[in-house]
Amino acid sequence: MQSNSSSSAVISVVNLNHYFGKGQLRKQALFNINLQINIGEIIIMTGPSGSGKTTLLTLVGGLRSAQEGSLKVLGKELCGAKEKQLTEARRHNGYIFQAHNLHGSLTALQNVRMGLEVHRGIPPAEMNDRAKEMLEAVGLGNRINYYPDDLSGGQKQRVAIARALVGKPKIVLADEPTAALDKKSGRDVVELMQKLAKEQGCTILLVTHDNRILDIADRIVYMEDGRLISDGSSLDALAIAR
Ligand code: ADP
Ligand code: MG
């Protein structure tokens, strides 16, 4: 029998282990991770560099395949999943990384449209409208035809957020999204993510070292040496993180 908490879980991680390398070079990066994340929760994951945060995030996002244990995302088991199933799983996610990864040869509008290209059957005119609306929502309505080189760091990150959210993903995965931003733009960017996520009812898993944004989380999860030290269900993680 599964516990009650797993019935509303969007992400359910049970006894998950992960290894990099083969043979003598094989090194364990994640040790027996257990974590349940519910619909609409904003989870911040924190912990020292090298503790396994990015590894866990990429597994949840279907960006690499889970090896051992169980990892269910939106009810689908990703442990042992084939490339085709991982590709399908990725369609439900929006990704925001530290480096915004915008295409330099595309305008802000074209970059945001990329977030819709994975969804089949949306007419081009509608794609443009939705990309434009999303850029307006992130405060860049007057920058839609700008190229990344002509935007500030905070503006570029807002384009990346618009790209991640334009497809109305069920899950947003963000890896240190404020690391390259000054205090004010960092704060603006996470508040924007929070607002848009609450409006769209999506779940956010956000990795950060940035103490200034911890208060946007419903729960703070703490990792150390490949282990989940706290799943934030009590206030201890907040104490550790500070
Ligand atoms: P964090 O995001 O918390 O800084 P990572 O998940 O990036 O931590 O890394 C966790 C551990 O796994 C580290 O020891 C790191 O060196 C190792 N690691 C991460 N990615 C790879 C990889 N592609 N190949 C081999 N080892 C890796
Ligand atoms: Mg990392």
Side-chain angles (χ1 to χ4, degrees):
M1 276 288 284
Q2 292 281 306
S3 70
N4 283 338
S5 63
S6 63
S7 57
S8 56
V10 182
I11 299 167
S12 170
V13 185
V14 180
N15 299 338
L16 186 71
N17 293 306
H18 194 78
Y19 308 84
F20 287 111
K22 287 202 167 72
Q24 291 206 313
L25 294 176
R26 185 164 115 136
K27 186 171 165 267
Q28 189 162 359
L30 294 180
F31 296 81
N32 202 42
I33 306 288
N34 288 282
L35 179 65
Q36 306 286 319
I37 299 178
N38 297 321
I39 287 184
E41 269 195 302
I42 299 180
I43 304 287
I44 283 187
M45 194 193 303
T46 186
S49 182
S51 57
K53 305 181 298 295
T54 296
T55 304
L56 183 55
L57 203 73
T58 54
L59 290 172
V60 170
L63 298 172
R64 63 173 88 243
S65 52
Q67 300 163 341
E68 203 175 287
S70 170
L71 168 61
K72 282 196 190 131
V73 179
L74 297 165
K76 297 261 164 44
E77 179 59 69
L78 295 189
C79 196
K82 301 271 185 315
E83 188 49 43
K84 191 161 170 265
Q85 295 162 298
L86 292 179
T87 305
E88 179 56 33
R90 289 197 286 267
R91 286 189 217 286
H92 301 292
N93 303 333
Y95 302 93
I96 302 164
F97 297 109
Q98 175 179 344
H100 49 77
N101 296 318
L102 299 180
H103 292 271
S105 62
L106 302 179
T107 64
L109 186 77
Q110 290 165 336
N111 268 289
V112 174
R113 263 185 60 141
M114 296 285 289
L116 289 171
E117 309 276 343
V118 297
H119 301 279
R120 284 156 290 200
I122 306 176
E126 189 188 328
M127 286 211 262
N128 277 342
D129 288 348
R130 282 175 62 177
K132 194 160 166 267
E133 266 170 38
M134 193 50 71
L135 279 166
E136 280 160 7
V138 300
L140 291 175
N142 56 351
R143 293 285 187 279
I144 61 173
N145 294 318
Y146 281 52
Y147 288 90
D149 276 353
D150 301 319
L151 297 170
S152 71
Q155 289 171 333
K156 279 186 276 219
Q157 198 61 306
R158 282 190 272 157
V159 175
I161 289 174
R163 181 184 55 187
L165 295 176
V166 70
K168 302 201 188 316
K170 301 230 168 59
I171 299 171
V172 170
L173 301 167
D175 201 350
E176 310 203 23
T178 64
L181 303 179
D182 63 61
K183 182 178 175 180
K184 167 107 176 42
S185 341
R187 185 78 210 173
D188 287 352
V189 153
V190 289
E191 282 179 358
L192 193 64
M193 283 174 62
Q194 181 185 34
K195 174 171 168 281
L196 293 174
K198 290 291 175 202
E199 284 168 10
Q200 298 186 1
C202 80
T203 304
I204 299 185
L205 179 55
L206 187 158
V207 170
T208 192
H209 283 117
D210 190 346
N211 283 340
R212 300 170 307 214
I213 64 170
L214 296 180
D215 60 291
I216 71 147
D218 295 316
R219 194 144 62 92
I220 298 171
V221 160
Y222 187 76
M223 300 266 309
E224 207 171 279
D225 296 333
R227 292 176 174 84
L228 199 89
I229 303 291
S230 166
D231 76 353
S233 49
S234 58
L235 287 173
D236 52 348
L238 189 59
I240 296 168
R242 289 198 194 283

